Amino acid sequence: NAGVTQTPKFRVLKTGQSMTLLCAQDMNHEYMYWYRQDPGMGLRLIHYSVGEGTTAKGEVPDGYNVSRLKKQNFLLGLESAAPSQTSVYFCASSYIRGTPANTEAFFGQGTRLTVV
Amino acid sequence: GQQVMQIPQYQHVQEGEDFTTYCNSSTTLSNIQWYKQRPGGHPVFLIQLVKSGEVKKQKRLTFQFGEAKKNSSLHITATQTTDVGTYFCARNTGGFKTIFGAGTRLFVKA
């Protein structure tokens, strides 16, 4: 099993360009997440999904859109990139198991995005 | 808000010294999770605590959940260079939304 796979790993965008980050998981997890990581800020939740066809806003959703058309995929879109969106983006997935519920999150390798 | 606050932000230790990072919340937590991220890597799950006063150990790592379920700590005994990285605590909110603290970055000098 590959776990959680993110593509691309690196990208440089010009201000105003658009792009889509793809996250794929092969663990049949219900929950998927997109985070951004900036120095000193930890991991901030952008959007998340609790199942196929559903999405919800996280802590910092502005400027991003997401879609979960298939259970195994979670796409993060930037419609008009801004320098403030320069960051490392992590996708994660999790499922509920056991009692009490354990929701261990499995992370992808990250996408380093630079907006110039 | 729903944030969990972590202190310290950075910690430099000599190899063999102990290390502790703390995670605090203004509200009662249903659970607390701990993750480790090596430099250049991705976060990796270490443990989840759910019970008041719970203590769990993983080799040299000791995790505690406060009696009031508003704070948690991670203690590493006799640090090694392999312990270098950033340690994050995280909480699950309604709908299993996972919110992370800002992390404590550990530097270990050999």
Side-chain angles (χ1 to χ4, degrees):
Chain A
N1 287 349
V4 179
T5 303
Q6 291 182 232
T7 52
K9 289 183 172 51
F10 303 93
R11 185 74 186 268
V12 178
L13 284 180
K14 293 182 179 179
T15 298
Q17 285 186 319
S18 63
M19 79 163 293
T20 300
L21 281 67
L22 172 64
C23 178
Q25 51 97 1
D26 61 2
M27 297 174 283
N28 200 36
H29 286 175
E30 288 296 327
Y31 304 97
M32 296 189 75
Y33 313 83
W34 276 107
Y35 292 90
R36 60 176 290 171
Q37 185 173 34
D38 304 293
M41 302 289 288
L43 292 150
R44 292 184 292 169
L45 183 63
I46 304 171
H47 287 279
Y48 66 107
S49 168
V50 299
E52 180 179 325
T54 72
T55 62
K57 293 181 179 180
E59 302 170 275
V60 289
D62 294 342
Y64 305 94
N65 56 77
V66 289
S67 64
R68 183 114 181 257
L69 299 179
K70 294 182 178 180
K71 185 177 184 179
Q72 63 267 34
N73 296 335
F74 195 29
L75 278 62
L76 177 70
L78 287 73
E79 291 187 348
S80 180
S84 60
Q85 294 177 305
T86 294
S87 188
V88 179
Y89 291 86
F90 285 101
C91 175
S93 70
S94 69
Y95 70 109
I96 304 171
R97 62 181 172 88
T99 303
N102 187 330
T103 56
E104 170 185 353
F106 295 79
F107 282 80
Q109 298 296 322
T111 297
R112 186 172 295 274
L113 175 66
T114 302
V115 183
V116 298
Chain B
Q2 301 178 51
Q3 282 286 351
V4 285
M5 307 303 295
Q6 269 190 267
I7 54 171
Q9 188 175 4
Y10 302 96
Q11 184 80 59
H12 293 257
V13 299
Q14 195 75 32
E15 188 174 26
E17 292 181 338
D18 292 355
F19 160 77
T20 304
T21 174
Y22 301 90
C23 185
N24 300 301
S25 171
S26 59
T27 58
T28 303
L29 302 168
S30 56
N31 62 53
I32 195 78
Q33 298 179 339
W34 286 93
Y35 291 78
K36 177 184 178 181
Q37 183 179 24
R38 295 182 184 275
H42 60 279
V44 175
F45 177 84
L46 294 176
I47 208 161
Q48 175 172 290
L49 305 173
V50 295
K51 298 177 183 177
S52 170
E54 189 171 13
V55 178
K56 288 188 176 180
K57 293 189 175 184
Q58 291 179 351
K59 296 183 180 178
R60 294 177 295 103
L61 277 61
T62 302
F63 304 86
Q64 294 189 2
F65 202 8
E67 293 290 341
K69 299 183 73 173
K70 288 186 175 182
N71 55 73
S72 180
S73 65
L74 159 58
H75 179 83
I76 302 178
T77 302
T79 55
Q80 300 175 358
T81 54
T82 54
D83 296 325
V84 164
T86 302
Y87 293 84
F88 294 98
C89 63
R91 62 174 295 181
N92 286 151
T93 65
F96 295 97
K97 183 169 64 174
T98 304
I99 302 296
F100 283 77
T104 295
R105 188 163 182 184
L106 174 63
F107 300 86
V108 180
K109 185 176 181 181

PDB file of all heavy atoms in Angstrom, chain B residues 63-98:
ATOM      1  N   PHE B  63       3.925  10.098  27.873  1.00  0.00           N
ATOM      2  CA  PHE B  63       2.836  11.000  27.528  1.00  0.00           C
ATOM      3  C   PHE B  63       1.853  11.045  28.692  1.00  0.00           C
ATOM      4  O   PHE B  63       1.507  10.009  29.261  1.00  0.00           O
ATOM      5  CB  PHE B  63       2.099  10.498  26.282  1.00  0.00           C
ATOM      6  CG  PHE B  63       2.967  10.296  25.082  1.00  0.00           C
ATOM      7  CD1 PHE B  63       3.651   9.094  24.902  1.00  0.00           C
ATOM      8  CD2 PHE B  63       3.109  11.288  24.130  1.00  0.00           C
ATOM      9  CE1 PHE B  63       4.459   8.888  23.804  1.00  0.00           C
ATOM     10  CE2 PHE B  63       3.910  11.093  23.011  1.00  0.00           C
ATOM     11  CZ  PHE B  63       4.590   9.895  22.854  1.00  0.00           C
ATOM     12  N   GLN B  64       1.417  12.267  29.032  1.00  0.00           N
ATOM     13  CA  GLN B  64       0.452  12.422  30.119  1.00  0.00           C
ATOM     14  C   GLN B  64      -0.725  13.273  29.664  1.00  0.00           C
ATOM     15  O   GLN B  64      -0.557  14.220  28.890  1.00  0.00           O
ATOM     16  CB  GLN B  64       1.108  13.081  31.336  1.00  0.00           C
ATOM     17  CG  GLN B  64       2.182  12.241  32.001  1.00  0.00           C
ATOM     18  CD  GLN B  64       2.651  12.822  33.318  1.00  0.00           C
ATOM     19  OE1 GLN B  64       2.155  13.845  33.765  1.00  0.00           O
ATOM     20  NE2 GLN B  64       3.594  12.169  33.960  1.00  0.00           N
ATOM     21  N   PHE B  65      -1.892  12.952  30.181  1.00  0.00           N
ATOM     22  CA  PHE B  65      -3.103  13.734  29.965  1.00  0.00           C
ATOM     23  C   PHE B  65      -3.569  14.220  31.327  1.00  0.00           C
ATOM     24  O   PHE B  65      -3.698  13.423  32.256  1.00  0.00           O
ATOM     25  CB  PHE B  65      -4.177  12.870  29.315  1.00  0.00           C
ATOM     26  CG  PHE B  65      -5.243  13.617  28.571  1.00  0.00           C
ATOM     27  CD1 PHE B  65      -5.164  14.977  28.332  1.00  0.00           C
ATOM     28  CD2 PHE B  65      -6.356  12.943  28.083  1.00  0.00           C
ATOM     29  CE1 PHE B  65      -6.148  15.657  27.631  1.00  0.00           C
ATOM     30  CE2 PHE B  65      -7.345  13.609  27.371  1.00  0.00           C
ATOM     31  CZ  PHE B  65      -7.237  14.965  27.138  1.00  0.00           C
ATOM     32  N   GLY B  66      -3.778  15.518  31.472  1.00  0.00           N
ATOM     33  CA  GLY B  66      -4.104  16.083  32.767  1.00  0.00           C
ATOM     34  C   GLY B  66      -5.423  15.594  33.341  1.00  0.00           C
ATOM     35  O   GLY B  66      -6.307  15.138  32.604  1.00  0.00           O
ATOM     36  N   GLU B  67      -5.545  15.725  34.641  1.00  0.00           N
ATOM     37  CA  GLU B  67      -6.766  15.276  35.327  1.00  0.00           C
ATOM     38  C   GLU B  67      -7.996  16.011  34.811  1.00  0.00           C
ATOM     39  O   GLU B  67      -9.078  15.431  34.707  1.00  0.00           O
ATOM     40  CB  GLU B  67      -6.631  15.485  36.834  1.00  0.00           C
ATOM     41  CG  GLU B  67      -5.584  14.610  37.516  1.00  0.00           C
ATOM     42  CD  GLU B  67      -5.999  13.156  37.561  1.00  0.00           C
ATOM     43  OE1 GLU B  67      -7.199  12.854  37.399  1.00  0.00           O
ATOM     44  OE2 GLU B  67      -5.120  12.296  37.777  1.00  0.00           O
ATOM     45  N   ALA B  68      -7.843  17.286  34.510  1.00  0.00           N
ATOM     46  CA  ALA B  68      -8.962  18.088  34.014  1.00  0.00           C
ATOM     47  C   ALA B  68      -9.138  17.978  32.499  1.00  0.00           C
ATOM     48  O   ALA B  68     -10.045  18.594  31.937  1.00  0.00           O
ATOM     49  CB  ALA B  68      -8.772  19.549  34.399  1.00  0.00           C
ATOM     50  N   LYS B  69      -8.284  17.210  31.854  1.00  0.00           N
ATOM     51  CA  LYS B  69      -8.308  17.026  30.398  1.00  0.00           C
ATOM     52  C   LYS B  69      -8.200  18.360  29.666  1.00  0.00           C
ATOM     53  O   LYS B  69      -8.830  18.571  28.622  1.00  0.00           O
ATOM     54  CB  LYS B  69      -9.565  16.260  29.958  1.00  0.00           C
ATOM     55  CG  LYS B  69      -9.637  14.864  30.557  1.00  0.00           C
ATOM     56  CD  LYS B  69     -10.832  14.086  30.082  1.00  0.00           C
ATOM     57  CE  LYS B  69     -10.703  13.622  28.670  1.00  0.00           C
ATOM     58  NZ  LYS B  69     -11.779  12.719  28.219  1.00  0.00           N
ATOM     59  N   LYS B  70      -7.368  19.256  30.209  1.00  0.00           N
ATOM     60  CA  LYS B  70      -7.116  20.526  29.538  1.00  0.00           C
ATOM     61  C   LYS B  70      -5.646  20.702  29.185  1.00  0.00           C
ATOM     62  O   LYS B  70      -5.262  21.695  28.580  1.00  0.00           O
ATOM     63  CB  LYS B  70      -7.550  21.702  30.434  1.00  0.00           C
ATOM     64  CG  LYS B  70      -9.047  21.854  30.579  1.00  0.00           C
ATOM     65  CD  LYS B  70      -9.394  23.108  31.358  1.00  0.00           C
ATOM     66  CE  LYS B  70     -10.901  23.323  31.407  1.00  0.00           C
ATOM     67  NZ  LYS B  70     -11.246  24.574  32.133  1.00  0.00           N
ATOM     68  N   ASN B  71      -4.817  19.751  29.590  1.00  0.00           N
ATOM     69  CA  ASN B  71      -3.409  19.864  29.262  1.00  0.00           C
ATOM     70  C   ASN B  71      -2.793  18.486  29.106  1.00  0.00           C
ATOM     71  O   ASN B  71      -3.329  17.481  29.589  1.00  0.00           O
ATOM     72  CB  ASN B  71      -2.656  20.670  30.312  1.00  0.00           C
ATOM     73  CG  ASN B  71      -2.843  20.114  31.699  1.00  0.00           C
ATOM     74  OD1 ASN B  71      -2.303  19.072  32.039  1.00  0.00           O
ATOM     75  ND2 ASN B  71      -3.625  20.802  32.503  1.00  0.00           N
ATOM     76  N   SER B  72      -1.662  18.481  28.426  1.00  0.00           N
ATOM     77  CA  SER B  72      -0.956  17.236  28.164  1.00  0.00           C
ATOM     78  C   SER B  72       0.525  17.546  28.065  1.00  0.00           C
ATOM     79  O   SER B  72       0.924  18.692  27.845  1.00  0.00           O
ATOM     80  CB  SER B  72      -1.454  16.602  26.868  1.00  0.00           C
ATOM     81  OG  SER B  72      -0.776  15.387  26.604  1.00  0.00           O
ATOM     82  N   SER B  73       1.338  16.525  28.254  1.00  0.00           N
ATOM     83  CA  SER B  73       2.779  16.709  28.132  1.00  0.00           C
ATOM     84  C   SER B  73       3.412  15.493  27.482  1.00  0.00           C
ATOM     85  O   SER B  73       2.886  14.375  27.557  1.00  0.00           O
ATOM     86  CB  SER B  73       3.423  16.972  29.490  1.00  0.00           C
ATOM     87  OG  SER B  73       3.297  15.842  30.331  1.00  0.00           O
ATOM     88  N   LEU B  74       4.546  15.755  26.844  1.00  0.00           N
ATOM     89  CA  LEU B  74       5.393  14.707  26.269  1.00  0.00           C
ATOM     90  C   LEU B  74       6.782  14.886  26.862  1.00  0.00           C
ATOM     91  O   LEU B  74       7.360  15.971  26.740  1.00  0.00           O
ATOM     92  CB  LEU B  74       5.433  14.829  24.749  1.00  0.00           C
ATOM     93  CG  LEU B  74       6.600  14.175  23.998  1.00  0.00           C
ATOM     94  CD1 LEU B  74       6.664  12.693  24.282  1.00  0.00           C
ATOM     95  CD2 LEU B  74       6.503  14.447  22.517  1.00  0.00           C
ATOM     96  N   HIS B  75       7.276  13.862  27.497  1.00  0.00           N
ATOM     97  CA  HIS B  75       8.591  13.907  28.126  1.00  0.00           C
ATOM     98  C   HIS B  75       9.493  12.872  27.474  1.00  0.00           C
ATOM     99  O   HIS B  75       9.088  11.710  27.324  1.00  0.00           O
ATOM    100  CB  HIS B  75       8.469  13.621  29.626  1.00  0.00           C
ATOM    101  CG  HIS B  75       9.777  13.622  30.350  1.00  0.00           C
ATOM    102  ND1 HIS B  75      10.382  14.778  30.791  1.00  0.00           N
ATOM    103  CD2 HIS B  75      10.603  12.610  30.693  1.00  0.00           C
ATOM    104  CE1 HIS B  75      11.520  14.473  31.387  1.00  0.00           C
ATOM    105  NE2 HIS B  75      11.682  13.161  31.340  1.00  0.00           N
ATOM    106  N   ILE B  76      10.681  13.291  27.073  1.00  0.00           N
ATOM    107  CA  ILE B  76      11.659  12.363  26.520  1.00  0.00           C
ATOM    108  C   ILE B  76      12.818  12.260  27.503  1.00  0.00           C
ATOM    109  O   ILE B  76      13.426  13.283  27.871  1.00  0.00           O
ATOM    110  CB  ILE B  76      12.178  12.819  25.139  1.00  0.00           C
ATOM    111  CG1 ILE B  76      11.015  12.963  24.161  1.00  0.00           C
ATOM    112  CG2 ILE B  76      13.197  11.814  24.610  1.00  0.00           C
ATOM    113  CD1 ILE B  76      11.425  13.453  22.777  1.00  0.00           C
ATOM    114  N   THR B  77      13.126  11.071  27.904  1.00  0.00           N
ATOM    115  CA  THR B  77      14.233  10.813  28.825  1.00  0.00           C
ATOM    116  C   THR B  77      15.502  10.551  28.033  1.00  0.00           C
ATOM    117  O   THR B  77      15.490   9.791  27.063  1.00  0.00           O
ATOM    118  CB  THR B  77      13.919   9.601  29.703  1.00  0.00           C
ATOM    119  OG1 THR B  77      12.699   9.836  30.416  1.00  0.00           O
ATOM    120  CG2 THR B  77      15.026   9.342  30.700  1.00  0.00           C
ATOM    121  N   ALA B  78      16.593  11.202  28.453  1.00  0.00           N
ATOM    122  CA  ALA B  78      17.900  10.953  27.838  1.00  0.00           C
ATOM    123  C   ALA B  78      17.830  11.067  26.320  1.00  0.00           C
ATOM    124  O   ALA B  78      17.962  10.073  25.594  1.00  0.00           O
ATOM    125  CB  ALA B  78      18.442   9.590  28.252  1.00  0.00           C
ATOM    126  N   THR B  79      17.639  12.293  25.845  1.00  0.00           N
ATOM    127  CA  THR B  79      17.461  12.512  24.412  1.00  0.00           C
ATOM    128  C   THR B  79      18.627  11.964  23.593  1.00  0.00           C
ATOM    129  O   THR B  79      19.784  11.897  24.047  1.00  0.00           O
ATOM    130  CB  THR B  79      17.316  14.007  24.098  1.00  0.00           C
ATOM    131  OG1 THR B  79      18.461  14.691  24.637  1.00  0.00           O
ATOM    132  CG2 THR B  79      16.041  14.566  24.653  1.00  0.00           C
ATOM    133  N   GLN B  80      18.286  11.576  22.363  1.00  0.00           N
ATOM    134  CA  GLN B  80      19.269  11.123  21.393  1.00  0.00           C
ATOM    135  C   GLN B  80      19.133  11.986  20.141  1.00  0.00           C
ATOM    136  O   GLN B  80      18.097  12.640  19.944  1.00  0.00           O
ATOM    137  CB  GLN B  80      19.035   9.644  21.058  1.00  0.00           C
ATOM    138  CG  GLN B  80      19.142   8.726  22.259  1.00  0.00           C
ATOM    139  CD  GLN B  80      18.790   7.287  21.929  1.00  0.00           C
ATOM    140  OE1 GLN B  80      18.421   6.944  20.811  1.00  0.00           O
ATOM    141  NE2 GLN B  80      18.899   6.413  22.938  1.00  0.00           N
ATOM    142  N   THR B  81      20.143  11.949  19.288  1.00  0.00           N
ATOM    143  CA  THR B  81      20.084  12.776  18.081  1.00  0.00           C
ATOM    144  C   THR B  81      18.919  12.366  17.178  1.00  0.00           C
ATOM    145  O   THR B  81      18.408  13.170  16.406  1.00  0.00           O
ATOM    146  CB  THR B  81      21.399  12.693  17.292  1.00  0.00           C
ATOM    147  OG1 THR B  81      21.710  11.317  17.030  1.00  0.00           O
ATOM    148  CG2 THR B  81      22.545  13.317  18.090  1.00  0.00           C
ATOM    149  N   THR B  82      18.481  11.146  17.310  1.00  0.00           N
ATOM    150  CA  THR B  82      17.334  10.681  16.513  1.00  0.00           C
ATOM    151  C   THR B  82      16.013  11.288  16.981  1.00  0.00           C
ATOM    152  O   THR B  82      14.993  11.149  16.304  1.00  0.00           O
ATOM    153  CB  THR B  82      17.215   9.150  16.570  1.00  0.00           C
ATOM    154  OG1 THR B  82      17.182   8.752  17.952  1.00  0.00           O
ATOM    155  CG2 THR B  82      18.388   8.490  15.875  1.00  0.00           C
ATOM    156  N   ASP B  83      16.027  11.966  18.133  1.00  0.00           N
ATOM    157  CA  ASP B  83      14.805  12.601  18.626  1.00  0.00           C
ATOM    158  C   ASP B  83      14.571  13.966  18.002  1.00  0.00           C
ATOM    159  O   ASP B  83      13.513  14.577  18.203  1.00  0.00           O
ATOM    160  CB  ASP B  83      14.864  12.757  20.148  1.00  0.00           C
ATOM    161  CG  ASP B  83      14.903  11.433  20.884  1.00  0.00           C
ATOM    162  OD1 ASP B  83      14.255  10.481  20.398  1.00  0.00           O
ATOM    163  OD2 ASP B  83      15.585  11.345  21.917  1.00  0.00           O
ATOM    164  N   VAL B  84      15.535  14.456  17.230  1.00  0.00           N
ATOM    165  CA  VAL B  84      15.419  15.768  16.598  1.00  0.00           C
ATOM    166  C   VAL B  84      14.166  15.839  15.740  1.00  0.00           C
ATOM    167  O   VAL B  84      13.824  14.893  15.029  1.00  0.00           O
ATOM    168  CB  VAL B  84      16.662  16.050  15.742  1.00  0.00           C
ATOM    169  CG1 VAL B  84      16.410  17.193  14.773  1.00  0.00           C
ATOM    170  CG2 VAL B  84      17.850  16.354  16.625  1.00  0.00           C
ATOM    171  N   GLY B  85      13.472  16.973  15.831  1.00  0.00           N
ATOM    172  CA  GLY B  85      12.274  17.172  15.020  1.00  0.00           C
ATOM    173  C   GLY B  85      11.317  18.098  15.731  1.00  0.00           C
ATOM    174  O   GLY B  85      11.654  18.716  16.742  1.00  0.00           O
ATOM    175  N   THR B  86      10.121  18.189  15.199  1.00  0.00           N
ATOM    176  CA  THR B  86       9.077  19.007  15.797  1.00  0.00           C
ATOM    177  C   THR B  86       7.983  18.097  16.321  1.00  0.00           C
ATOM    178  O   THR B  86       7.518  17.199  15.613  1.00  0.00           O
ATOM    179  CB  THR B  86       8.494  19.994  14.775  1.00  0.00           C
ATOM    180  OG1 THR B  86       9.538  20.821  14.277  1.00  0.00           O
ATOM    181  CG2 THR B  86       7.425  20.871  15.407  1.00  0.00           C
ATOM    182  N   TYR B  87       7.579  18.347  17.555  1.00  0.00           N
ATOM    183  CA  TYR B  87       6.544  17.548  18.203  1.00  0.00           C
ATOM    184  C   TYR B  87       5.267  18.384  18.295  1.00  0.00           C
ATOM    185  O   TYR B  87       5.277  19.495  18.818  1.00  0.00           O
ATOM    186  CB  TYR B  87       7.005  17.106  19.589  1.00  0.00           C
ATOM    187  CG  TYR B  87       8.166  16.139  19.509  1.00  0.00           C
ATOM    188  CD1 TYR B  87       9.477  16.596  19.393  1.00  0.00           C
ATOM    189  CD2 TYR B  87       7.946  14.762  19.499  1.00  0.00           C
ATOM    190  CE1 TYR B  87      10.539  15.711  19.290  1.00  0.00           C
ATOM    191  CE2 TYR B  87       8.997  13.866  19.399  1.00  0.00           C
ATOM    192  CZ  TYR B  87      10.296  14.347  19.292  1.00  0.00           C
ATOM    193  OH  TYR B  87      11.344  13.461  19.174  1.00  0.00           O
ATOM    194  N   PHE B  88       4.205  17.826  17.774  1.00  0.00           N
ATOM    195  CA  PHE B  88       2.920  18.510  17.754  1.00  0.00           C
ATOM    196  C   PHE B  88       1.911  17.777  18.628  1.00  0.00           C
ATOM    197  O   PHE B  88       1.846  16.543  18.616  1.00  0.00           O
ATOM    198  CB  PHE B  88       2.328  18.534  16.340  1.00  0.00           C
ATOM    199  CG  PHE B  88       3.088  19.341  15.342  1.00  0.00           C
ATOM    200  CD1 PHE B  88       3.980  18.733  14.475  1.00  0.00           C
ATOM    201  CD2 PHE B  88       2.898  20.716  15.243  1.00  0.00           C
ATOM    202  CE1 PHE B  88       4.676  19.486  13.532  1.00  0.00           C
ATOM    203  CE2 PHE B  88       3.594  21.469  14.307  1.00  0.00           C
ATOM    204  CZ  PHE B  88       4.477  20.846  13.455  1.00  0.00           C
ATOM    205  N   CYS B  89       1.110  18.545  19.350  1.00  0.00           N
ATOM    206  CA  CYS B  89      -0.088  17.964  19.922  1.00  0.00           C
ATOM    207  C   CYS B  89      -1.253  18.360  19.023  1.00  0.00           C
ATOM    208  O   CYS B  89      -1.177  19.342  18.280  1.00  0.00           O
ATOM    209  CB  CYS B  89      -0.328  18.414  21.352  1.00  0.00           C
ATOM    210  SG  CYS B  89      -0.622  20.176  21.567  1.00  0.00           S
ATOM    211  N   ALA B  90      -2.327  17.594  19.086  1.00  0.00           N
ATOM    212  CA  ALA B  90      -3.491  17.857  18.247  1.00  0.00           C
ATOM    213  C   ALA B  90      -4.739  17.397  18.967  1.00  0.00           C
ATOM    214  O   ALA B  90      -4.708  16.463  19.764  1.00  0.00           O
ATOM    215  CB  ALA B  90      -3.367  17.128  16.907  1.00  0.00           C
ATOM    216  N   ARG B  91      -5.843  18.070  18.665  1.00  0.00           N
ATOM    217  CA  ARG B  91      -7.116  17.699  19.273  1.00  0.00           C
ATOM    218  C   ARG B  91      -8.124  17.423  18.177  1.00  0.00           C
ATOM    219  O   ARG B  91      -8.076  18.009  17.097  1.00  0.00           O
ATOM    220  CB  ARG B  91      -7.627  18.829  20.162  1.00  0.00           C
ATOM    221  CG  ARG B  91      -7.920  20.126  19.423  1.00  0.00           C
ATOM    222  CD  ARG B  91      -8.545  21.150  20.321  1.00  0.00           C
ATOM    223  NE  ARG B  91      -9.858  20.738  20.800  1.00  0.00           N
ATOM    224  CZ  ARG B  91     -10.617  21.468  21.596  1.00  0.00           C
ATOM    225  NH1 ARG B  91     -10.201  22.659  22.001  1.00  0.00           N
ATOM    226  NH2 ARG B  91     -11.789  21.033  22.011  1.00  0.00           N
ATOM    227  N   ASN B  92      -9.030  16.513  18.462  1.00  0.00           N
ATOM    228  CA  ASN B  92     -10.170  16.267  17.578  1.00  0.00           C
ATOM    229  C   ASN B  92     -11.351  17.079  18.083  1.00  0.00           C
ATOM    230  O   ASN B  92     -11.673  17.043  19.269  1.00  0.00           O
ATOM    231  CB  ASN B  92     -10.573  14.798  17.584  1.00  0.00           C
ATOM    232  CG  ASN B  92      -9.606  13.935  16.827  1.00  0.00           C
ATOM    233  OD1 ASN B  92      -9.438  12.773  17.136  1.00  0.00           O
ATOM    234  ND2 ASN B  92      -8.954  14.485  15.827  1.00  0.00           N
ATOM    235  N   THR B  93     -12.006  17.812  17.179  1.00  0.00           N
ATOM    236  CA  THR B  93     -13.223  18.516  17.550  1.00  0.00           C
ATOM    237  C   THR B  93     -14.403  17.785  16.921  1.00  0.00           C
ATOM    238  O   THR B  93     -14.235  16.712  16.336  1.00  0.00           O
ATOM    239  CB  THR B  93     -13.178  19.978  17.077  1.00  0.00           C
ATOM    240  OG1 THR B  93     -13.151  19.976  15.647  1.00  0.00           O
ATOM    241  CG2 THR B  93     -11.940  20.675  17.595  1.00  0.00           C
ATOM    242  N   GLY B  94     -15.575  18.381  17.013  1.00  0.00           N
ATOM    243  CA  GLY B  94     -16.753  17.729  16.465  1.00  0.00           C
ATOM    244  C   GLY B  94     -16.576  17.360  15.006  1.00  0.00           C
ATOM    245  O   GLY B  94     -16.059  18.132  14.224  1.00  0.00           O
ATOM    246  N   GLY B  95     -16.997  16.194  14.618  1.00  0.00           N
ATOM    247  CA  GLY B  95     -16.832  15.758  13.241  1.00  0.00           C
ATOM    248  C   GLY B  95     -15.436  15.276  12.941  1.00  0.00           C
ATOM    249  O   GLY B  95     -15.059  15.145  11.782  1.00  0.00           O
ATOM    250  N   PHE B  96     -14.654  15.057  13.996  1.00  0.00           N
ATOM    251  CA  PHE B  96     -13.293  14.544  13.855  1.00  0.00           C
ATOM    252  C   PHE B  96     -12.402  15.469  13.045  1.00  0.00           C
ATOM    253  O   PHE B  96     -11.518  15.030  12.316  1.00  0.00           O
ATOM    254  CB  PHE B  96     -13.308  13.123  13.289  1.00  0.00           C
ATOM    255  CG  PHE B  96     -13.959  12.164  14.250  1.00  0.00           C
ATOM    256  CD1 PHE B  96     -15.290  11.825  14.102  1.00  0.00           C
ATOM    257  CD2 PHE B  96     -13.265  11.675  15.326  1.00  0.00           C
ATOM    258  CE1 PHE B  96     -15.900  10.979  15.007  1.00  0.00           C
ATOM    259  CE2 PHE B  96     -13.873  10.833  16.243  1.00  0.00           C
ATOM    260  CZ  PHE B  96     -15.190  10.480  16.080  1.00  0.00           C
ATOM    261  N   LYS B  97     -12.659  16.751  13.178  1.00  0.00           N
ATOM    262  CA  LYS B  97     -11.753  17.754  12.633  1.00  0.00           C
ATOM    263  C   LYS B  97     -10.540  17.808  13.543  1.00  0.00           C
ATOM    264  O   LYS B  97     -10.673  17.997  14.749  1.00  0.00           O
ATOM    265  CB  LYS B  97     -12.474  19.103  12.610  1.00  0.00           C
ATOM    266  CG  LYS B  97     -11.690  20.216  12.001  1.00  0.00           C
ATOM    267  CD  LYS B  97     -12.589  21.438  11.787  1.00  0.00           C
ATOM    268  CE  LYS B  97     -13.107  22.010  13.069  1.00  0.00           C
ATOM    269  NZ  LYS B  97     -13.843  23.275  12.827  1.00  0.00           N
ATOM    270  N   THR B  98      -9.355  17.613  12.995  1.00  0.00           N
ATOM    271  CA  THR B  98      -8.138  17.551  13.806  1.00  0.00           C
ATOM    272  C   THR B  98      -7.396  18.864  13.728  1.00  0.00           C
ATOM    273  O   THR B  98      -6.958  19.281  12.656  1.00  0.00           O
ATOM    274  CB  THR B  98      -7.238  16.401  13.333  1.00  0.00           C
ATOM    275  OG1 THR B  98      -7.985  15.178  13.374  1.00  0.00           O
ATOM    276  CG2 THR B  98      -6.028  16.260  14.242  1.00  0.00           C
TER     277      THR B  98
END
